Amino acid sequence: MEKMSGARSLMVALEKEGVELAFGLPGGANLPIYDELYKSNIRHILVRHEQSASHMADGFGRVSRRPGVCFATSGPGATNIVTGIATAQADSAPMIAITGQVPSKMIGKDAFQESDIIGITNPIVKYAFQPMDAAEIPTVVKKAFYISSTGRPGPVLIDIPKDVQQNEAEMHFPNEVKVRGYHPWVDPDIREIERAIDMLLSAERPIILAGGGVIISSAFAELQSIAELLMIPVVTTFKGKGSFPENHPLSLGPIGMHGHAEANKMMVEADCVLAAGSRFSDRSVGTFEEFEKRLKIIHMDVDPAEIGKNQTTTVAVVGDIKASLRIMVKMLVQKAIKRGDDNPWLKRVNETRDYYRENLKLHPHPLGAAKILRKLREVLPHQSIVTTEVGQHQMWASLFFDVIQPGTFFSSTGLGTMGWGFPAAIGAKAAKPSVPVLDIAGEGSFNMTENSLAVSVLDNLPVIVLLMNNFSLGMVAQWQRTFYDRRMIGIDLKNCPDYVKLAEAYGAQGIRAESIDEVGKAVQTALKSDVATVIDIPIDPQEDVLPFVAPGTPLKDMILPS
């Protein structure tokens, strides 16, 4: 037991959890924390807006698989990180958000910069703590990291009143904690896995649907083994993009609203699906009722609340995805079950994939999205980490940027948060400094957090921004063209800044690329640079993202380019 202030105990507890860096912005209500941060070994990365702090912590957490940490003061500082917390919750990303709060005796009295951040975030966090005694802080931190990183990961909030930060107490730092009613690990049921194998073997047209849970649990090798042993084609959700090599002969790519034509087509024709770590979002499956017609669904998920939530499940396996798939692989090997590729279903799959890849019309513009992203794939090392902003460029990335090395592609897929990609890329770079990190961006989304260029430059976290600039809010424009009889309003971004000059103003590198060759050369130049690089690529504002499944319609009704 050692006597120290609440703020000091917070730093000690964070260091005991292995925290080496944190993203944040100081203010009046968290200055005791920052004063102790000054004395600690934790590197502080000063952001220009608290929302970016939470996105950076999110990116750090997704890449490192350890909770990213962000700080904000009370009131508006705390509410500014709410979008980042909600984004992490929607995509099951580990995060610890630590907010300052007004002194405890002032809570509920409309004090200056007071906000009920516990009440505000309760629906969008995995758990929220508000210690009212400094002695609680070490245990609260231990519990927060345990909850955030176990089972289905998610954000945890710790809100600390200023007087609790300042008060001294005898501190006990527990080595482990238990949280009543919280049971993050469930052993997969062997009998259900046996049923799943029998169902897959008896199906005529089986398919695997890999979701983000495969990436979170690093179940890449197990997933590939099952696909190859049973010769089952693999589609992914958008969040699951990168769970299976997209140059593999069994890969069909993402399904859904902006999925590959062949993936949607084969998903519709399948009679049995093994869904691993997917929540069956509407963006992935279209209409729920139509999706489960004719389909027997085997659902594997670490979160029992997901079973049967959106789709009727025939077989359910609750547990860690990697553990569940590993047991399945072991059973298949023990029973010497291995299928060849000479069956009508695989023949149909291959013919369909070849047809769409050879005949799907691409946009004719010299700087069409497919040409840009395929050039990017050609020059970007496979181990590079790629994030995206939110908009048309994000969906073009889904369609045209193949992820070869699993676990290297991240996007805001659940909440669809514009402004996420660039700060998340900075967080990813902080987690893996030796790996190239690139953000595929549109200018509408990049505009929202472009001031993080200052962070990238001053904190030596260089990332590349590939900016597909159509001078508009492209996805909104596409929907207005498609669903609102071309009544275009609120989409014109022609007065956007000159992004080359903007990058240079922050001390970064700016390059404008006006041909596919220039795109390739610009990326190669950026890869050799030790500062952030913004590559501004003017594209055709009229280019749509196609194929497209309209909201509220089934996958079979996808719109193809004509």
Side-chain angles (χ1 to χ4, degrees):
M1 301 279 277
E2 185 179 352
K3 194 169 185 178
M4 63 180 74
S5 72
R8 175 64 187 149
S9 74
L10 175 66
M11 288 307 127
V12 174
L14 291 176
E15 289 176 338
K16 286 180 179 290
E17 293 300 321
V19 176
E20 296 177 346
L21 62 83
F23 310 91
L25 195 69
N30 66 356
L31 276 181
I33 292 174
Y34 267 79
D35 194 47
E36 291 297 335
L37 184 60
Y38 175 81
K39 305 169 192 171
S40 78
N41 295 319
I42 297 173
R43 177 187 177 191
H44 178 249
I45 295 175
L46 175 64
V47 300
R48 299 307 187 265
H49 192 285
E50 290 91 347
Q51 180 179 342
S52 293
S54 53
H55 293 331
M56 289 177 196
D58 183 344
F60 179 93
R62 295 194 202 200
V63 169
S64 69
R65 315 290 168 84
R66 295 179 284 119
V69 176
C70 59
F71 295 115
T73 191
S74 63
T79 55
N80 279 346
I81 65 170
V82 170
T83 299
I85 292 173
T87 304
Q89 174 77 350
D91 282 344
S92 307
M95 176 197 292
I96 306 293
I98 301 172
T99 51
Q101 182 56 277
V102 300
S104 53
K105 67 179 181 181
M106 300 300 293
I107 292 176
K109 299 183 184 299
D110 296 332
F112 176 67
Q113 291 196 331
E114 179 190 1
S115 65
D116 178 11
I117 194 63
I118 297 290
I120 291 169
T121 59
N122 251 329
I124 55 167
V125 293
K126 196 170 176 185
Y127 204 83
F129 294 96
Q130 190 179 58
M132 300 302 283
D133 184 327
E136 298 175 34
I137 291 176
T139 300
V140 162
V141 172
K142 191 74 181 176
K143 285 183 177 179
F145 276 79
Y146 174 60
I147 293 171
S148 176
S149 58
T150 52
R152 182 177 184 172
V156 174
L157 177 80
I158 305 175
D159 185 51
I160 311 177
K162 189 170 183 179
D163 57 318
V164 177
Q165 300 170 37
Q166 295 167 319
N167 292 343
E168 290 197 340
E170 295 287 342
M171 300 295 179
H172 167 66
F173 294 89
N175 293 321
E176 60 182 30
V177 288
K178 289 184 179 178
V179 180
R180 191 170 61 180
Y182 179 61
H183 307 290
W185 306 121
V186 176
D187 290 334
D189 189 325
I190 304 295
R191 292 166 300 179
E192 293 301 300
I193 294 177
E194 287 178 333
R195 286 186 64 204
I197 291 174
D198 291 342
M199 195 168 292
L200 288 170
L201 291 175
S202 62
E204 293 182 359
R205 302 180 301 280
I207 200 164
I208 293 173
L209 171 62
V214 174
I215 297 172
I216 290 170
S217 67
S218 298
F220 313 118
E222 291 79 5
L223 178 71
Q224 189 166 332
S225 293
I226 289 168
E228 291 173 349
L229 284 168
L230 298 179
M231 293 306 291
I232 300 178
V234 179
V235 299
T236 72
T237 64
F238 181 49
K239 187 169 187 292
K241 183 178 175 71
S243 60
F244 192 78
E246 294 189 295
N247 62 345
H248 192 286
L250 290 170
S251 172
L252 292 171
I255 61 167
M257 181 177 283
H258 296 293
H260 289 192
E262 59 268 31
N264 284 340
K265 180 76 173 170
M266 292 299 94
M267 190 73 245
V268 170
E269 293 188 16
D271 62 356
C272 178
V273 59
L274 168 60
S278 167
R279 62 187 173 88
F280 295 106
S281 84
D282 56 319
R283 296 269 288 199
S284 294
V285 306
T287 54
F288 297 134
E289 299 78 11
E290 186 72 24
F291 183 81
E292 64 186 28
K293 278 184 181 177
R294 304 180 304 277
L295 259 182
K296 291 180 179 178
I297 296 177
I298 302 163
H299 192 180
M300 291 182 169
D301 207 286
V302 71
D303 185 354
E306 289 297 334
I307 304 298
K309 186 180 77 176
N310 289 342
Q311 300 288 188
T312 304
T313 300
T314 311
V315 174
V317 180
V318 176
D320 175 65
I321 298 298
K322 188 179 184 75
S324 300
L325 293 179
R326 182 179 289 168
I327 293 169
M328 181 175 274
V329 172
K330 189 175 180 181
M331 286 181 173
L332 292 172
V333 171
Q334 285 176 340
K335 294 179 181 179
I337 297 174
K338 183 174 174 59
R339 280 179 157 178
D341 59 1
D342 55 342
N343 65 75
W345 173 234
L346 265 187
K347 183 181 178 187
R348 166 77 177 149
V349 167
N350 292 333
E351 288 175 349
T352 303
R353 179 180 53 212
D354 293 346
Y355 171 79
Y356 281 116
R357 294 193 178 180
E358 291 172 7
N359 296 291
L360 208 62
K361 284 188 177 178
L362 298 177
H363 194 67
H365 193 275
L367 276 171
K371 299 182 184 81
I372 293 170
L373 292 168
R374 286 171 179 167
K375 172 57 72 173
L376 175 65
R377 179 68 288 169
E378 183 184 319
V379 297
L380 196 67
H382 288 179
Q383 77 273 20
S384 303
I385 293 168
V386 172
T387 64
T388 82
E389 302 289 343
V390 170
Q392 279 187 308
H393 61 279
Q394 179 190 33
M395 297 301 123
W396 283 321
S398 171
L399 289 167
F400 304 123
F401 182 79
D402 287 344
V403 180
I404 310 302
Q405 186 162 313
T408 57
F409 181 89
F410 302 95
S411 187
S412 173
T413 62
L415 202 64
T417 306
M418 293 178 72
W420 180 85
F422 182 44
I426 293 173
K429 187 70 176 176
K432 285 194 174 179
S434 63
V435 175
V437 178
L438 182 143
D439 175 38
I440 297 173
E443 76 282 13
S445 190
F446 181 62
N447 284 349
M448 294 190 175
T449 52
E450 48 85 356
N451 59 7
S452 291
L453 276 166
V455 181
S456 179
V457 172
L458 296 176
D459 284 272
N460 193 28
L461 295 167
V463 302
I464 305 167
V465 179
L466 186 93
L467 187 65
M468 301 173 72
N469 185 354
N470 55 11
F471 312 98
S472 64
L473 295 175
M475 188 59 82
V476 178
Q478 177 173 336
W479 282 41
Q480 289 179 346
R481 284 194 294 269
T482 307
F483 303 122
Y484 295 89
D485 197 23
R486 304 186 72 84
R487 293 188 292 277
M488 316 302 287
I489 182 171
I491 50 89
D492 191 346
L493 295 178
K494 286 176 183 169
N495 291 323
C496 269
D498 180 323
Y499 290 103
V500 173
K501 292 180 179 176
L502 177 75
E504 291 171 350
Y506 278 106
Q509 179 175 219
I511 303 174
R512 182 158 294 111
E514 297 180 314
S515 71
I516 292 300
D517 283 346
E518 289 181 5
V519 170
K521 290 175 183 174
V523 174
Q524 288 170 334
T525 300
L527 287 169
K528 298 172 185 171
S529 175
D530 57 1
V531 297
T533 302
V534 178
I535 303 171
D536 182 28
I537 308 169
I539 64 172
D540 181 4
Q542 298 299 315
E543 181 173 359
D544 286 336
V545 182
L546 293 171
F548 176 42
V549 178
T553 62
L555 296 181
K556 67 182 178 62
D557 292 340
M558 66 179 163
I559 303 167
L560 296 169
S562 57

